[in-house]
Amino acid sequence: MPIVRNVSRAVSQLLQSPGCGCGIPVIPARCIGVSPRQVASDASFHLVSFSNSDHPRVLITGGLGQLGVGLAKLLRKRFGKNNVILSDIRKPADNVFYSGPFIYADILDYKNLREIVVNNRITWLFHYSALLSAVGEANVSLARAVNITGLHNVLDIAAEHNLRLFVPSTIGAFGPTSPRNPTPDLCIQRPRTIYGVSKVHAELMGEYYHYRYGLDFRCLRYPGIISADSQPGGGTTDYAVQIFHDAIKTGKFQCYLKPDTRLPMMYIDDCLKATLEVMEAPAEALSMRTYNISAMSFTPQELVQEVQKHVPELQVTYKVDEVRQAIADSWPMNFDDRNARRDWGWKHDYDLPELVTTMFSFLGSDSRIAQVN
């Protein structure tokens, strides 16, 4: 399997390179040939014994990206620590490693991903492994392998073992010919990035497996996700995270999008809440398998104005990155998520003022914020 080994090595190298440490989930799937008998009983890096309950037994791939760690924390609180396995191909930080079960898993290694599912009696799989928009454009062949070949492995294993499978999609699944304001659940989708193409592919393949094989496939199209506990990098919407770090550290922020570029956004707590809610929703309540979800929509200029209420001296300049601007101009300005709100009761908690206040409450222990306030 030389191709798989080379791709896995390339993914690992990419994740360790400068500028890729943010929320670029990449993937897991191999327990590197270690059997339960070979691992010390007190280690977190092992195949765990699950609680005797009716709770789902969960595997999260690409778990060290922007969303995986937060999702694991939420699911462990709800279903029990040992019922949720986080996985990735990168070494986790100590606080993540000791917070609950963690294993090495590479989704490009079909055989060992299958072993993980079987040996751990997995019933729910959250597939977060992917290369994001800007990074994917810089390495199309790697994005194709990770985002498409990895998905095929996950779909086949989920169908074979009757898993409930969640695969996130994105605003990037739409293109310049899609209606942008608002963008409905069902419309023309012609994205112009490998990331977007791979997400449309995931949506359609998941729905095909649902209708052809009965796979319990569920998918949400995420807007731009903003969180305080991950570093920006690799995504077109990451300016909305970077601004908070720069406001605190330097008081200067340079935005790579035009000031009037409107995109849908969401605070991470809303994103994780929606993900759990759609997975827990009764199958009969779902009128479709892929839903838009929305919370707020703003421009860089509107975000700057709200941030300056907390850091009045923040200096902002705009240096437009043509690649990211072209991507943003092809994406929705607003999401129509009426179907999610109707079918399974989706409701967001954070609008722009609450988002900014919450971000600074996490990041604002710095002296600059303390002095301003």
Side-chain angles (χ1 to χ4, degrees):
M1 299 287 287
I3 295 177
V4 169
R5 285 197 297 269
N6 291 340
V7 170
S8 298
R9 185 180 304 114
V11 173
S12 181
Q13 291 171 348
L14 178 63
L15 288 174
Q16 294 171 9
S17 64
C20 295
C22 74
I24 307 166
V26 177
I27 335 186
R30 187 175 175 194
C31 198
I32 40 181
V34 180
S35 70
R37 297 178 183 177
Q38 294 173 297
V39 184
S41 61
D42 60 346
S44 294
F45 187 87
H46 68 305
L47 304 177
V48 300
S49 297
F50 289 105
S51 306
N52 293 322
S53 71
D54 293 330
H55 289 321
R57 294 176 287 277
V58 179
L59 174 67
I60 304 171
T61 69
L64 297 183
Q66 184 185 25
L67 299 175
V69 174
L71 180 65
K73 183 178 179 180
L74 177 65
L75 296 178
R76 285 166 179 167
K77 183 177 180 180
R78 189 167 186 87
F79 301 131
K81 176 179 176 179
N82 287 335
N83 281 320
V84 181
I85 297 178
L86 198 61
S87 73
D88 210 307
I89 61 171
R90 294 181 288 162
K91 183 173 68 174
D94 286 349
N95 65 307
V96 174
F97 182 80
Y98 292 110
S99 65
F102 180 90
I103 59 176
Y104 176 92
D106 180 351
I107 57 162
L108 297 177
D109 189 332
Y110 177 89
K111 179 177 181 293
N112 283 281
L113 181 59
R114 192 166 177 252
E115 288 176 357
I116 290 172
V117 168
V118 171
N119 290 339
N120 293 280
R121 299 182 292 126
I122 298 300
T123 58
W124 285 14
L125 198 160
F126 293 83
H127 179 54
Y128 278 114
S129 301
L131 294 188
L132 301 185
S133 55
V135 173
E137 290 306 289
N139 197 332
V140 172
S141 62
L142 181 60
R144 186 175 63 238
V146 171
N147 294 9
I148 296 178
T149 303
L151 169 77
H152 292 177
N153 288 343
V154 167
L155 284 169
D156 286 343
I157 291 168
E160 178 185 2
H161 297 286
N162 195 31
L163 308 184
R164 182 171 296 184
L165 174 64
F166 178 84
V167 178
S169 189
T170 168
I171 54 175
F174 298 96
T177 54
S178 303
R180 299 184 64 213
N181 191 21
T183 303
D185 283 305
L186 299 176
C187 65
I188 189 170
Q189 293 176 255
R190 290 294 184 272
R192 292 182 177 175
T193 66
I194 185 60
Y195 177 61
V197 169
S198 70
K199 287 304 183 182
V200 175
H201 180 77
E203 293 175 12
L204 295 177
M205 286 295 290
E207 292 182 15
Y208 172 76
Y209 269 62
H210 171 68
Y211 293 112
R212 179 68 174 83
Y213 303 113
L215 173 65
D216 191 353
F217 170 82
R218 304 180 183 208
C219 176
L220 297 178
R221 293 193 188 105
Y222 292 156
I225 304 301
I226 301 173
S227 64
D229 55 0
S230 64
Q231 292 294 316
T236 300
T237 59
D238 280 346
Y239 83 88
V241 177
Q242 186 69 54
I243 187 173
F244 294 99
H245 293 274
D246 290 354
I248 290 172
K249 293 178 182 177
T250 67
K252 298 179 180 180
F253 171 62
Q254 185 175 85
C255 184
Y256 49 74
L257 295 181
K258 295 177 181 177
D260 61 349
T261 305
R262 183 172 300 279
L263 292 169
M265 299 284 188
M266 179 176 287
Y267 184 58
I268 189 170
D269 285 9
D270 275 339
C271 174
L272 298 178
K273 182 182 78 165
T275 302
L276 177 57
E277 286 179 356
V278 76
M279 283 294 277
E280 290 190 313
E284 59 271 18
L286 304 179
S287 63
M288 56 187 64
R289 289 285 147 175
T290 299
Y291 289 90
N292 293 342
I293 54 169
S294 183
M296 66 193 91
S297 181
F298 56 76
T299 67
Q301 187 175 47
E302 291 169 348
L303 178 59
V304 166
Q305 291 171 353
E306 195 66 35
V307 168
Q308 286 177 332
K309 294 178 182 178
H310 297 258
V311 187
E313 76 275 24
L314 175 65
Q315 299 176 25
V316 178
T317 57
Y318 293 89
K319 184 178 180 181
V320 176
D321 180 295
E322 294 184 2
V323 173
R324 295 196 205 196
Q325 186 65 51
I327 292 172
D329 288 342
S330 72
W331 283 358
M333 299 169 67
N334 285 285
F335 259 163
D336 181 348
D337 64 352
R338 285 177 290 180
N339 289 319
R341 294 176 186 268
R342 179 198 66 211
D343 288 1
W344 43 275
W346 161 241
K347 183 179 180 181
H348 70 280
D349 293 325
Y350 292 84
D351 289 312
L352 181 56
E354 292 84 4
L355 164 71
V356 173
T357 299
T358 302
M359 287 291 287
F360 278 127
S361 74
F362 279 101
L363 300 174
S365 59
D366 181 271
S367 60
R368 174 180 296 275
I369 299 297
Q371 291 169 6
V372 170
N373 291 335

